[in-house]
Amino acid sequence: MRVVIVTESFPPDVNGVAHCALQTARHLVDRGHSCVVVAPTTAPGGPADTSAPCPVVKVPSLPLPGYPQVRVALPSRRVAAAIAEYRADVVHLASPFVLGVRGMAAAARLGVPAVAVYQTDLGGYARTYMGAGEAAAWRRIRSVHAAADLTLAPSTAALHDLRAHGVPRVSLWPRGVDTDRFRPGLRDEELRRRLAPNGELIVGYVGRLAPEKQVELLAGACALEGVRVVVVGDGPSRPGLEQALPGAVFLGRRTGGELARIFASLDVFAHTGPFETFCQTVQEAMAAGVPVVAPAAGGPLDLVDHGRTGLLVPPRDAAAVRDAVWSLAADPVLRAAYGTAGRAKVEGRTWAAVGDRLIGHYGDVFASRKAVLAA
């Protein structure tokens, strides 16, 4: 099978869309399929990335105003050319918004099935950045995804949202986790001493530092005696967060084995953003055997078993985040039990298992197309 993956982001970018697109390409190659990735160019002078298992076609792009870490593809014939020249059997659209829309249109013109992967809560972003526009964002989502043969939602909450807003032909496709990379055995006592020299309980956040992530909700945890908050990631909100979270350690962007050691060295993982369609970092923390505090909204509802692998708290509630952290800080036995249960819950969610489910979805699309032609 020949697959063209059209993605709004790809490594060296560090985000959920880029990571999922990379893992998808790797799995397809591992299973004997061939693929090409079409993605926006990255920032000039940025880090190079050699992890792609297949050819990558780069489309010219510009940084998003006010958020230069995000790049938006410019109009280009390269998308349609890649689909046509590669003679794609299926076009995989990763979080289609700008580049993906062009990929969708090209697939339709060429008669190639398109599978769209929903990953970004644009409605939530509209509320965060503009204070309005959620209805317009959903109109955009509906118009884009209605053109696909199939839309894949990463969580039951996302699936229900898509269906409630009139998106047709939606199925569930969650994300995998690298349980070999993220594991409890990487806990590093020397690293813990550097992060918390007085033996504090280490509470970590990993992700983009942007308004929609609401990392400032960790301020109450910063004020708890014997607690050290560690923030991993970068983004436009970092300067303000350094003021809002006194005493927190900001490590910047970390990847690979270094990130896995940080995860395993935490005592509690706290996620604060209420707009996650999946929330991969929650799953990585669970794989590392770390109990989780997360908002009872979106993707974390599928991932966190409240009272067994972690604690779900009301979204946007700083006091609830603080109290959940404090309850875990006071009970090391409970932390250990949650961490063990979390690891057990994700052990079967490898990228290989999830990737095979994706290939099954491709097969369903082919079958549906064949049935329509035969009718």
Side-chain angles (χ1 to χ4, degrees):
M1 179 169 54
R2 295 182 299 275
V3 183
V4 173
I5 299 172
V6 181
T7 178
E8 305 292 334
S9 184
F10 199 70
D13 293 346
V14 179
N15 57 60
V17 174
H19 182 67
C20 185
L22 173 62
Q23 294 294 343
T24 298
R26 284 177 174 170
H27 183 72
L28 289 169
V29 171
D30 288 346
R31 287 292 188 261
H33 305 289
S34 57
C35 64
V36 166
V37 171
V38 181
T41 55
T42 52
D49 187 87
T50 59
S51 60
C54 62
V56 179
V57 176
K58 290 291 189 177
V59 174
S61 69
L62 290 175
L64 186 67
Y67 199 160
Q69 291 90 343
V70 175
R71 298 186 68 85
V72 178
L74 296 172
S76 172
R77 297 178 181 176
R78 296 181 188 179
V79 183
I83 295 170
E85 292 171 10
Y86 196 61
R87 294 180 292 115
D89 296 309
V90 63
V91 175
H92 175 113
L93 305 162
S95 195
F97 185 64
V98 176
L99 194 61
V101 170
R102 297 174 195 137
M104 188 91 72
R109 287 196 305 271
L110 295 166
V112 180
V115 174
V117 179
Y118 175 71
Q119 289 183 251
T120 305
D121 181 1
L122 295 176
Y125 282 25
R127 290 197 304 273
T128 299
Y129 286 96
M130 297 182 290
E134 184 176 4
W138 273 110
R139 284 195 296 272
R140 171 74 170 181
I141 292 168
R142 184 167 54 248
S143 67
V144 170
H145 286 268
D149 290 75
L150 179 66
T151 287
L152 297 177
S155 63
T156 54
L159 184 145
H160 293 153
D161 279 348
L162 288 164
R163 288 178 174 169
H165 286 88
V167 176
R169 300 178 298 280
V170 184
S171 293
L172 183 65
W173 181 56
R175 302 292 175 265
V177 64
D178 188 339
T179 52
D180 291 327
R181 170 171 288 177
F182 297 98
R183 63 186 193 275
L186 293 178
R187 191 174 178 87
D188 186 330
E189 293 302 328
E190 181 180 348
L191 173 61
R192 286 177 53 80
R193 285 191 292 272
R194 292 202 305 270
L195 296 174
N198 296 316
E200 298 95 336
L201 180 105
I202 302 176
V203 177
Y205 166 86
V206 178
R208 286 199 315 278
L209 305 185
E212 75 274 6
K213 300 299 183 180
Q214 300 186 6
V215 185
E216 66 275 4
L217 294 175
L218 291 173
C222 287
L224 293 173
E225 185 177 355
V227 170
R228 176 59 58 92
V229 171
V230 173
V231 177
V232 181
D234 211 345
S237 294
R238 179 168 177 172
L241 289 170
E242 289 177 340
Q243 298 296 317
L245 303 179
V249 177
F250 286 79
L251 296 179
R253 170 179 154 171
R254 296 289 187 271
T255 60
E258 184 181 17
L259 178 62
R261 285 193 300 277
I262 292 170
F263 264 116
S265 300
L266 302 176
D267 296 301
V268 176
F269 178 77
H271 187 80
T272 49
F275 304 124
E276 301 297 330
T277 59
F278 185 76
C279 202
Q280 181 69 3
T281 55
V282 162
Q283 193 165 237
E284 289 167 349
M286 293 168 67
V290 179
V292 172
V293 174
L301 291 170
D302 281 359
L303 298 173
V304 181
D305 290 342
H306 181 73
R308 196 176 82 85
T309 65
L311 298 173
L312 293 170
V313 299
R316 307 176 187 84
D317 190 333
V321 173
R322 178 201 62 209
D323 293 346
V325 168
W326 181 245
S327 67
L328 291 172
D331 195 337
V333 174
L334 188 64
R335 291 201 306 275
Y338 283 3
T340 298
R343 171 70 188 188
K345 182 172 180 177
V346 302
E347 280 183 333
R349 296 182 183 173
T350 63
W351 278 107
V354 169
D356 286 343
R357 288 180 63 175
L358 175 64
I359 294 170
H361 285 302
Y362 292 163
D364 292 341
V365 166
F366 296 149
S368 295
R369 282 267 179 136
K370 187 178 294 186
V372 169
L373 291 173

